[in-house]
Amino acid sequence: MKYIQKSREPDSLTKWNLKRGSRIPDWKSFSKGVKDDVYFSLLQEQGYICCYCGRPISRKQCHIEHYRPKSVYKHLTFEYTNLIASCQGEDEDRPRVPVHCGHKKQAWFDEELMISPLDPNCPDYFKYSGSGEILPIDEPQKQAPAKTTIQKLALDINKLRKLRRAAIDAVLQATDGLTGEEIQLLTQAYDKRDSSGRFTPFSAAITYILKQYF
């Protein structure tokens, strides 16, 4: 999981929220134009990767995820600070299988056990293996939240494990023959956006492995 630093909400959302006042309409009635602005803003601030698993996403490959579920926290339905972009498209009734990330989480939420990608310390709860596994870190106080989050989001299913392994293997091959200093610079580069503002898919796993191996 990679930390998401929230940006300022789109002006169109600010105006829409002011117009609706205290009324909280159904999510399906959300203005399409404003909703598209929110999508674009979320994709930009996340570097076009899923808020939970780190897969690459685009407008057609993601849905707006309510970190605190809108069915439980209705007052946060249109609050930008509660909105992030998760993979597997917009169809909540028939998400792609195997289901993971936001569609898997659904209305579950636990303030103590759900690790937020909006928390700057979220990467510190997880470790990764060279085979693509995501695991709780060894610190006892972090194990329960990490284990629960992995389970509730299905972050260690075979599909995601294989994708992470492929990404890790490709990077490890690229490090062949590099000096320690060059590998350190490479690790820093994978932690940043490229020239188009995108993060490398599964960059959290990649940077973890590079730091451990070298």
Side-chain angles (χ1 to χ4, degrees), residues 23 29 41 61 70 77 86 110 147 152 178 200 202:
R23 181 178 60 91
S29 67
S41 182
Q61 298 169 324
K70 62 182 182 294
T77 299
S86 181
D110 186 303
K147 183 177 180 180
K152 292 295 184 179
L178 297 183
T200 299
F202 306 110

Side-chain angles (χ1 to χ4, degrees), residues 66-113:
H66 292 78
Y67 173 65
R68 290 178 172 80
K70 62 182 182 294
S71 60
V72 181
Y73 300 84
K74 190 174 181 180
H75 63 291
L76 298 177
T77 299
F78 300 99
E79 292 297 322
Y80 189 69
T81 54
N82 191 47
L83 306 180
I84 43 185
S86 181
C87 59
Q88 294 199 301
E90 290 188 77
D91 193 338
E92 294 183 19
D93 297 321
R94 293 182 299 173
R96 297 185 179 115
V97 294
V99 183
H100 53 85
C101 296
H103 286 318
K104 180 68 175 179
K105 171 175 162 277
Q106 295 185 325
W108 176 82
F109 183 77
D110 186 303
E111 199 73 51
E112 300 297 325
L113 294 176

